[in-house]
Amino acid sequence: MDKAYTRRIARLQSQIRKQRLDSLLVTSPYDWYYLTGFTGEAGVLLVEPQGYTLITDGRFTVQAKEEAPGLKVELQRQGLYRACGELLKRRKRRRAGFDARQLTVAHMGSLKKAAGRAVGLRDAGGMVQSLRAVKDVAELAAMRKAAALADQVVQAAVRLLKPGVRELEVAAEIEYRMRKGGASGPAFESIVAFGDRAALPHARPTAKRLKKGQLVVLDLGAILNRYCSDITRTVFVGKAPTKVRLWYQAVLEAQAAAIEAVAAGRTCGDVDAAARGVLAAHRLDQYFVHSTGHGLGLEVHEDPRVAKGQKTLLASGNVVTIEPGVYVPGVGGIRIEDDVAVHQSGNEVLTRASREFIEL
Ligand SMILES: [Mn+2]
């Protein structure tokens, strides 16, 4: 297996020992891909202080061998969690960790039934996610490429914004261009929101046609070599009223202040406060209805969360989005989003498409 994977497993095993667990059930496909390179979507990776075993089914035998040579695989035939429970029982595990945010009540039922009373289960959620929050050199290189593809696609999408075009058409072009650029797909359902729909932070594209005098929010991200990007640009079709231009400048200023605050050792709450403070000075903070950003990596939303009051310290290797916005119901919304990597000193903005206000 690749050295990066063995290094990650070793780090997790030391965490397992530190938390005085004798095993950990890794139940997220993102987590086991991070640890082994196996991309199958069904299974459980059982990590123990001295080794690790993938429990999966016959559909993935060949795939696991190809993607994670040397990985020990046990095939389950009568239910994944039943097989897990039986394995824990055979190995006399007393303190097995699991992630309560991932295991369903049904999974837990089968697991407990098969494991029997002697096996102890404890919630140890988030252990792999916290390792994943710190990207290594190869991961950062992958994320730069995913960000560059998002830059290209968002710029191409802006050129498609002509009166009469539908939100859905622009969304389709966005996804087509991502795949042409090598992406396995979009990191999330692309947002193309015209006019008052731009006031909905998570608007889904509709058949609505673009008109002159509307704001347009484009929010998209690509998955390239398994890593996600996430970018938002807002443009105005026609000559923007002064009010809209002032809102845009305020959001841009808020974003710049938050990016400036992204540094190793600062809290995520500080970064959020930097954006919120600028918007408050413009009396626009009541229109900023979500948090400033989120971690980005194998998943489009991961640790650390950049939200109000978050005490988590940023560390070198973190990648977060910075995406303040203002949303005025009935009028429209403005959001500017970029992906930022934290370095030992300073930070690096991975997405580079121009942030200047565009009037088409
Ligand atoms: Mn985002």
Side-chain angles (χ1 to χ4, degrees):
M1 219 161 38
D2 195 282
K3 270 205 187 102
Y5 299 124
T6 43
R7 204 163 42 226
R8 291 169 188 171
I9 292 261
R11 217 170 282 153
L12 179 62
Q13 286 169 325
S14 102
Q15 288 293 320
I16 289 172
R17 275 182 232 113
K18 220 183 256 169
Q19 301 217 9
R20 296 206 279 130
L21 298 171
D22 56 21
S23 50
L24 180 73
L25 297 168
V26 175
T27 48
S28 147
Y30 299 100
D31 286 352
W32 69 60
Y33 168 73
Y34 178 77
L35 295 168
T36 68
F38 170 61
T39 65
E41 68 272 17
V44 169
L45 180 71
L46 179 69
V47 182
E48 297 169 300
Q50 310 303 339
Y52 47 99
T53 309
L54 175 72
I55 303 141
T56 186
D57 61 75
R59 290 174 295 170
F60 299 106
T61 326
V62 176
Q63 191 178 334
K65 211 177 232 170
E66 276 176 14
E67 294 175 338
L71 174 63
K72 221 170 121 192
V73 179
E74 286 225 4
L75 293 184
Q76 62 88 4
R77 289 183 179 84
Q78 290 171 306
L80 182 58
Y81 286 92
R82 179 169 160 184
C84 275
E86 286 166 356
L87 192 60
L88 292 174
K89 187 179 188 178
R90 272 205 312 279
R91 297 193 180 167
K92 298 194 167 55
R93 295 302 176 193
R94 297 286 175 268
R95 293 176 63 90
F98 67 95
D99 191 333
R101 291 173 302 182
Q102 290 167 1
L103 234 51
T104 67
V105 176
H107 294 156
M108 199 57 173
S110 325
L111 188 61
K112 276 188 170 163
K113 196 173 161 203
R117 280 215 204 136
V119 172
L121 293 162
R122 344 226 140 211
D123 183 16
M127 283 173 74
V128 185
Q129 285 95 314
S130 68
L131 295 179
R132 275 173 43 196
V134 177
K135 274 76 182 170
D136 63 27
V137 173
E139 291 182 290
L140 285 173
M143 294 196 71
R144 278 185 201 105
K145 287 186 184 156
L149 180 55
D151 283 341
Q152 260 177 46
V153 173
V154 83
Q155 286 162 337
V158 168
R159 291 194 288 271
L160 297 172
L161 298 174
K162 301 270 153 55
V165 75
R166 294 180 192 273
E167 289 176 346
L168 280 166
E169 284 174 63
V170 178
E173 284 289 338
I174 284 171
E175 295 187 12
Y176 174 70
R177 280 159 202 254
M178 276 182 199
R179 287 187 188 268
K180 283 265 263 193
S184 61
F188 53 90
E189 195 180 345
S190 310
I191 295 173
V192 179
F194 299 161
D196 58 351
R197 293 195 50 77
L200 310 174
H202 277 197
R204 295 192 123 140
T206 66
K208 199 179 149 172
R209 289 183 190 277
L210 184 59
K211 286 190 216 135
K212 267 206 134 166
Q214 285 185 321
L215 275 165
V216 176
V217 171
L218 300 169
D219 184 352
L220 57 96
I223 306 175
L224 188 63
N225 288 319
R226 307 204 76 86
Y227 284 84
C228 297
S229 51
D230 192 357
I231 190 169
T232 306
R233 291 293 181 264
T234 303
V235 305
F236 192 87
V237 185
K239 183 136 178 58
T242 312
K243 191 173 64 178
V244 168
R245 209 168 304 156
L246 289 174
W247 289 345
Y248 192 93
Q249 291 311 322
V251 174
L252 191 59
E253 199 187 310
Q255 197 214 22
I259 291 175
E260 175 82 34
V262 172
R266 294 283 296 268
T267 69
C268 289
D270 280 351
V271 177
D272 185 84
R276 231 166 270 284
V278 170
L279 291 174
H282 290 274
R283 299 179 181 278
L284 291 169
D285 49 323
Q286 78 267 31
Y287 300 120
F288 179 25
V289 294
H290 53 74
S291 48
T292 296
H294 50 86
L296 188 68
L298 290 170
E299 285 178 275
V300 73
H301 292 118
E302 52 177 60
D303 291 338
R305 315 273 152 173
V306 185
K308 208 172 182 168
Q310 278 283 334
K311 301 266 188 289
T312 315
L313 293 178
L314 287 170
S316 172
N318 288 162
V319 177
V320 294
T321 67
I322 299 296
E323 49 178 308
V326 298
Y327 308 91
V328 185
V331 181
I334 292 163
R335 176 166 68 252
I336 307 167
E337 174 181 34
D338 287 284
D339 306 340
V340 185
V342 183
H343 292 311
Q344 208 53 265
S345 65
N347 66 48
E348 174 190 359
V349 182
L350 306 181
T351 36
R352 295 184 177 174
S354 167
R355 271 165 237 141
E356 289 311 306
F357 189 43
I358 300 174
E359 293 170 292
L360 295 170

